[in-house]
Amino acid sequence: MVMKLSREERKTGVLTESNERLALQLIHDQGYVVLEKAVPSNHLKKVREAVNRALALKYEPCKRELDLHRYHGGISSPLSMPFIDPLIIENPFVFQMLGCIFGESFFGCLPYGCNTSFPGSKAQNIHRDCGHIFPEIKIPVPPVLVVVNIALDDFTGENGATEIWPGSHFLVDGDKQEASTLKIPDRRSSEKMSKQLIMPSGSIVIRDMRTWHRGMPNRTKRARTMLSIVYYRKYLLPDNFVADVSDLTDESWGQFSERARMTYRLTRFPKH
C-alpha cells in the first residue's frame, strides 16, 4: 500500500497518530510500507546527479560486471555531501517509524548502498535480504533489520519497479539451501501473490528485510535507482562501530542532529 502524506505532515515532518498506526500495522502485516513523496524533489536533484556520476565512473570502464549481474548494480555512497544530506540519512518520517519498530535506540550503517536497474536489465532471482535470526524457531520473531529505500526516480512497470511478496516476512525458510542462499524457489513464490512497487520519485519504502522481493526488467532507456540504508536493533551494535566523517566541513557537520550522530556513530577525528 502507498500512503499519501498530508500537506501538514509534509510541513511538520511528522506522521499523524492515525497514519503512524497505519504505517506500523502495514509493516507488521505485509512487511513494508510506502510513504509517497516523503522527500521533496528539490532535495533529490543533487543526490540523483551525484549517484549517477558515481555509477558511470564505476560501470562505464567495466560493462562486463553489469552483464554478470543482469544489468542490476549499485555503489557504496561516499561519506560526503550530498550523499549524506540530513533529509536522506535522518529523514524525520523514517526515524519516527524506526522508533515505533525498534524502540528509540536503533542504529544505522554508513556508507549506504543503492540499487540501480539499468536499461536492458533482466528479472533478479526472488530473494530476501536477510534470514530469520532464529531459523530453528518456526514462529518468526519481530524484525531485527529494516531497510529504507528512497526512490531517486519514478518507479513504473516499464523501468523495473521492485516486485514484492506481501506477508512473506512471516514465512520461515523452506529448507537449508534457502536459508543459506536467501533465494526463494519458484515453487514457493508461485503460491503467493506479489505486486510491483509503483511509486513516484521521493517515495520511501520501509521494509522488513526478510520480505521476498526482486528487481524487475527495465525496458526504458534510463536507469532507475533507489538508495538503500539498513537499520538494526540496538542489541546488534558491533564493537568499534563508527562512521568516519572527518572530511566534512563545519557547516555540513552542523546540519546533523545529535540523534543522527548517535544513530550512525558519526565521528570526526582530530587532524594532526
Side-chain angles (χ1 to χ4, degrees), residues 59-78:
Y59 290 113
E60 283 184 359
C62 188
K63 294 294 178 69
R64 176 170 168 73
E65 184 176 350
L66 274 181
D67 189 52
L68 289 172
H69 293 91
R70 303 183 184 183
Y71 276 75
H72 293 274
I75 60 163
S76 181
S77 67

Side-chain angles (χ1 to χ4, degrees), residues 128-135 144-145 173 179 182 208-210:
R128 358 173 164 250
D129 289 333
C130 76
H132 293 274
I133 190 170
F134 299 114
V144 174
L145 293 96
D173 299 320
L182 301 181
D208 185 322
M209 292 183 69
R210 298 170 294 181

Side-chain angles (χ1 to χ4, degrees), residues 32-49:
Y32 71 96
V33 68
V34 180
L35 305 180
E36 186 178 80
K37 296 182 179 180
V39 180
S41 57
N42 60 320
H43 275 81
L44 286 181
K45 185 178 179 181
K46 288 184 178 180
V47 179
R48 185 189 298 109
E49 290 173 348

Side-chain angles (χ1 to χ4, degrees), residues 15-254:
L15 295 174
T16 62
E17 287 187 18
S18 59
N19 271 348
E20 180 188 276
R21 286 195 302 270
L22 174 59
L24 189 60
Q25 191 66 49
L26 289 168
I27 293 169
H28 177 272
D29 292 346
Q30 63 182 26
Y32 71 96
V33 68
V34 180
L35 305 180
E36 186 178 80
K37 296 182 179 180
V39 180
S41 57
N42 60 320
H43 275 81
L44 286 181
K45 185 178 179 181
K46 288 184 178 180
V47 179
R48 185 189 298 109
E49 290 173 348
V51 168
N52 287 343
R53 285 194 298 270
L55 287 167
L57 285 171
K58 178 177 180 179
Y59 290 113
E60 283 184 359
C62 188
K63 294 294 178 69
R64 176 170 168 73
E65 184 176 350
L66 274 181
D67 189 52
L68 289 172
H69 293 91
R70 303 183 184 183
Y71 276 75
H72 293 274
I75 60 163
S76 181
S77 67
L79 296 181
S80 60
M81 297 296 183
F83 295 94
I84 55 173
D85 184 297
L87 268 183
I88 299 297
I89 71 164
E90 58 171 309
N91 184 276
F93 299 121
V94 169
F95 273 33
Q96 180 180 354
M97 291 312 305
L98 290 175
C100 294
I101 298 166
F102 291 144
E104 289 306 304
S105 295
F106 53 85
F107 69 97
C109 276
L110 294 178
Y112 61 77
C114 78
N115 302 103
T116 300
S117 178
F118 291 89
S121 64
K122 307 296 190 294
Q124 290 180 320
N125 293 315
I126 303 166
H127 62 282
R128 358 173 164 250
D129 289 333
C130 76
H132 293 274
I133 190 170
F134 299 114
E136 66 275 17
I137 299 176
K138 298 308 179 184
I139 300 175
V141 299
V144 174
L145 293 96
V146 164
V147 62
V148 171
N149 296 129
I150 302 175
L152 296 185
D153 304 288
D154 293 339
F155 272 49
T156 70
E158 288 296 307
N159 71 4
T162 307
E163 185 178 18
I164 195 165
W165 276 257
S168 56
H169 60 304
F170 286 128
L171 302 175
V172 295
D173 299 320
D175 52 36
K176 290 184 178 179
Q177 183 176 2
E178 184 180 320
S180 63
T181 65
L182 301 181
K183 293 180 180 178
I184 311 301
D186 291 340
R187 59 179 169 74
R188 288 197 80 195
S189 61
S190 62
E191 297 173 354
K192 306 295 180 183
M193 295 293 293
S194 66
K195 64 185 299 182
Q196 280 188 272
L197 297 181
I198 307 300
M199 57 187 173
S201 64
S203 298
I204 290 177
V205 184
I206 303 173
R207 173 171 57 82
D208 185 322
M209 292 183 69
R210 298 170 294 181
T211 308
W212 302 353
H213 65 286
R214 64 175 171 180
M216 295 297 283
N218 185 347
R219 296 185 290 272
T220 72
K221 295 182 179 179
R222 293 182 57 187
R224 72 104 185 104
T225 296
M226 64 182 178
L227 308 181
S228 300
I229 312 175
V230 175
Y231 295 92
Y232 303 72
R233 286 187 181 272
K234 64 179 180 178
Y235 308 108
L236 295 182
L237 183 66
D239 293 336
N240 303 318
F241 174 67
V242 67
D244 183 358
V245 291
S246 300
D247 292 335
L248 284 185
T249 65
D250 291 342
E251 180 181 4
S252 295
W253 173 253

